[in-house]
Amino acid sequence: MQASDTIVAVSTPPGRGGIGIIRLSGPQALELAGKLLRRPNFEPEPNRVSLRVLRDPGTGEELERALVTYFQAPRSFTGEDVIEFSCHGSPVLLLQIVDALLRLGARAAEPGEFTLRALANGKLNLSQAEAIRDLIEARTTAAARQAARQMGGELSARLQPFKETLLEIIVPLESSLEFVEDDLPNVEIERLSARLSDLIRMVDELAATFRAGRLLKDGLKATLVGRPNVGKSSIFNALLKQDRAIVTDLPGTTRDALSEVINLEGIPVLLTDTAGVRESADAIERIGIERTRRAISDADLLLVVVDGSEPLTAEDQELISEVAESPHLIVANKCDLGSFSLQRLLQVVTDGVEVIAVSARTGQGLEDLRKAVLRSCSAPENSIEGLLLTNARHYDLLRRASDSLKASRKLLEESASEELVLVGLYDALRYLGQITGETTPEDVLTQIFSTFCIGK
């Protein structure tokens, strides 16, 4: 990616809309905009919107009447001169205008290139840039709030004391290495070891928030399984609060896995309804059952549905045994029927497995089921409170930093040479720097920004 040229892209989502925005950034942004407007000395007032006529640079034909905004360097998103054209949201029209700017000398922006230039020009750090992507991709209010907090620099602020403490530990070790022939006194080693222990604890505490943060960002996969006609599809529809799956009294109605995302207290849950598990001579039903078994292996949580109005069958017990090693709940449906007996069911279900009594027909117990899904996956009760790690890259770097710090602490307590102790400390400092982009290799940056949408 060359920061010396001028890039252009549509910054609004694909498809028709009321407004489409084209973004132009780089040293020739003003010049190219002036050519498109047929105004060679175009010098608009920064941060003011004006209505302008955009014309084809070859024929002079009017293309659009657009709102044009000029953001003067360095007071712009990218830190360069930026022009934004707010046009009618016709994909054909937007493509015409972008093509005109390309003919004038602009280059089509690569994914995330505007944000990458903002990073290169010091307008934000890497963790803030990644938070922009996460905010765009957020599927729940809680995920959007976490992304907004990180975009505002909260993660960077949280990491800064870690780096400062680490440097305060490194300095006396470097001084001892350079200027003192004798070993560090025991009291100094104990002091540095204690500071290292405190730092390790803080790093580990932040890393431990990743599980909850991952749930907020990526959600969890909860799959309904069970033999035919126990009410899986009815529970699926009841949790979705819409008739998404076909429900009949005929066993084997569901032939294929059906998935929808629901929001449980800010946690996106990919809920999957599956074909009933049983022996079948029907070729199509057997394919559905095979897909059910694949869905079982992919799930974070299995909701094993049984008919609570009758004793467990051999098929029920076989399925419960099959999923015993996976996180699962027993969902006893039809609890509104007079023959339902939770106590009888509890006597035959594996110890320690939670049993939730529900009625898909009346809605009884569904709120308990929602809470059990969150509880079983260790979702935090205060999901939207406090800073949570949501990025697997950040988590991996924190774990590496923690391991390096622990290795250095062990060497320090064993009275190893300062050179050996410092290796792990500098590694930890480098890992922390990679989170905010201070020490991130170029190939890693390329990989990160390739996941952004074009125009951002």
Side-chain angles (χ1 to χ4, degrees), residues 254-257 274-276 278 280-295:
T254 302
R255 297 298 185 95
D256 199 359
T274 61
R278 66 171 178 177
S280 176
D282 187 302
I284 296 178
E285 187 176 358
R286 286 203 305 271
I287 293 173
I289 293 170
E290 178 59 32
R291 292 184 178 182
T292 294
R293 298 199 180 279
R294 287 204 297 269

Side-chain angles (χ1 to χ4, degrees), residues 376-455:
S376 297
C377 293
S378 302
E381 294 181 1
N382 57 338
S383 299
I384 62 174
E385 300 297 331
L387 177 67
L388 303 176
L389 282 185
T390 57
N391 189 309
R393 188 184 73 88
H394 300 169
Y395 172 73
D396 177 62
L397 289 169
L398 281 174
R399 296 311 310 161
R400 293 189 189 189
S402 177
D403 290 343
S404 295
L405 293 173
K406 289 171 183 174
S408 288
R409 181 181 61 183
K410 186 173 185 295
L411 289 170
L412 183 64
E413 293 172 347
E414 292 174 350
S415 299
S417 67
E418 287 84 350
E419 294 100 325
L420 294 177
V421 176
L422 285 165
V423 169
L425 299 183
Y426 278 117
D427 282 344
L429 192 61
R430 186 177 72 255
Y431 293 139
L432 294 176
Q434 286 185 27
I435 295 176
T436 52
E438 298 163 33
T439 57
T440 307
E442 182 64 30
D443 58 336
V444 175
L445 287 177
T446 301
Q447 182 179 2
I448 290 170
F449 283 91
S450 68
T451 63
F452 281 59
C453 57
I454 293 176

Side-chain angles (χ1 to χ4, degrees), residues 312-322 348:
L312 289 182
T313 67
E315 289 174 328
D316 291 327
Q317 294 180 352
E318 182 180 349
L319 181 58
I320 291 172
S321 298
E322 185 179 327
V348 294

